[in-house]
Amino acid sequence: MPRTIATNTPVDLAALLDFVRPRHHALLITRRADGSPQASPLTCGVDDSGRLVISTYPERAKTANARRDPSVSVVVLSDEWNGPWVQIDGDAEVLDLPESVEPLVEYYRNISGEHPDWEEYREAMVKQGKSIIRITPRRWGPVATGGFPARLAD
């Protein structure tokens, strides 16, 4: 059986965002107050300005950590376990109500398309007290796939 060889494909920002847009499974890595890492599995998207966006609540650990230390990392995964992935490091910004409502609309639209009732959606976001984290990419690794090192190709 032929071995799958690991790949690392460098990409520019436009190609990175094209890679991320259809992928919504991710891990957000923030830092706790003591400096240790805290990972949160979540759904993410890309907003119209090219920032990664995450719907959250103000009391979540990831939200508090991103407020305190906006330097975060996101590992965006493919739906299939062995699919390509990428790590993105960036600067986080947390928006709370009422400023978060329209960015949450954009978040939903960019991930799921049109909602049947946008006013109902807005009301639900307010009722739930939702926040949004926006991450501006500042560096990223290559788009990677797992597998064997090239030296073991045969």
Side-chain angles (χ1 to χ4, degrees), residues 63 73 78 84 102 143:
T63 309
S73 295
S78 293
E102 292 310 310
V143 172

Side-chain angles (χ1 to χ4, degrees), residues 79-133:
D79 287 342
E80 58 283 348
W81 176 245
N82 289 325
W85 59 276
V86 68
Q87 177 176 329
I88 303 163
D89 302 323
D91 301 312
E93 167 190 23
V94 179
L95 297 177
D96 296 309
L97 293 171
E99 292 81 16
S100 62
V101 173
E102 292 310 310
L104 285 161
V105 167
E106 183 179 338
Y107 165 86
Y108 184 101
R109 185 174 274 135
N110 288 349
I111 291 175
S112 300
E114 291 301 316
H115 190 278
D117 186 336
W118 284 114
E119 282 313 305
E120 177 184 73
Y121 177 82
R122 286 178 177 92
E123 288 172 16
M125 296 301 97
V126 170
K127 184 176 181 181
Q128 294 173 33
K130 297 290 281 208
S131 297
I132 194 162
I133 300 173

